[in-house]
Amino acid sequence: MDLTHVRRLIDLLATAPVAELEVEEGGCRIRITRGGGAQPVGAPSAPPVAAAPAPVAAAQPAVAPVAEAAVITAPSYGVFHLSPAPGAPPFVTVGQDVQAGQEVGLVEAMKVFNAVRAEQAGRIAAVLVEDGTEVEAGTPLFQLA
């Protein structure tokens, strides 16, 4: 199991309505829990993976430039869907006004669907990712005007 796969599992756990996730793959077992410290589950079948240091955020100006457009990003890793079901109309289209908290898409990972919601009100200026595209947590999906 590579570090990218482990990060995807962590992203999934962070947004899923469960407190624990355990996966066994190719003789390697990983158990991720939310909250309290994890307890070892027998002898490890693979050496532990060190967590990558969190990226340091660049200093942001106190006032954002007016020309800067808002972006709606993916909440987790998975496959991005513009509509609630195949053949159904999309949640939103270019030019449509959205309200803060409104569902604008879905991200599917391991048959778990996570809602993509607008964090602020605005108008959809562009759809930045095609339907069915694999995305990472934080991938820009929509641009708001």
Side-chain angles (χ1 to χ4, degrees), residues 3-4 17 39-40 58 68 73 80 106 115:
L3 186 57
T4 302
Q39 298 297 320
E68 186 177 319
T73 60
F80 174 63
L106 294 171

Side-chain angles (χ1 to χ4, degrees), residues 1-132:
M1 210 177 296
D2 65 2
L3 186 57
T4 302
H5 188 66
V6 173
R7 286 182 180 159
R8 289 177 181 166
L9 292 173
I10 292 169
D11 284 344
L12 176 63
L13 182 66
T15 59
V18 295
E20 179 177 302
L21 178 66
E22 187 169 341
V23 177
E24 187 168 345
E25 198 176 282
C28 180
R29 181 172 33 180
I30 184 167
R31 181 176 171 195
I32 304 169
T33 60
R34 188 183 318 192
Q39 298 297 320
V41 184
S45 55
V49 178
V56 177
Q60 297 293 323
V63 177
V66 175
E68 186 177 319
V71 176
I72 300 172
T73 60
S76 64
Y77 163 81
V79 176
F80 174 63
H81 298 286
L82 283 166
S83 60
F91 287 101
V92 294
T93 56
V94 173
Q96 182 177 341
D97 288 328
V98 295
Q99 301 303 313
Q102 180 178 339
E103 189 170 358
V104 295
L106 294 171
V107 174
E108 173 190 8
M110 298 171 45
K111 302 297 181 196
V112 175
F113 292 85
N114 293 305
V116 177
R117 298 191 183 278
E119 292 183 14
Q120 66 185 50
R123 176 170 286 149
I124 301 292
V127 179
L128 305 173
V129 177
E130 290 185 34
D131 187 50

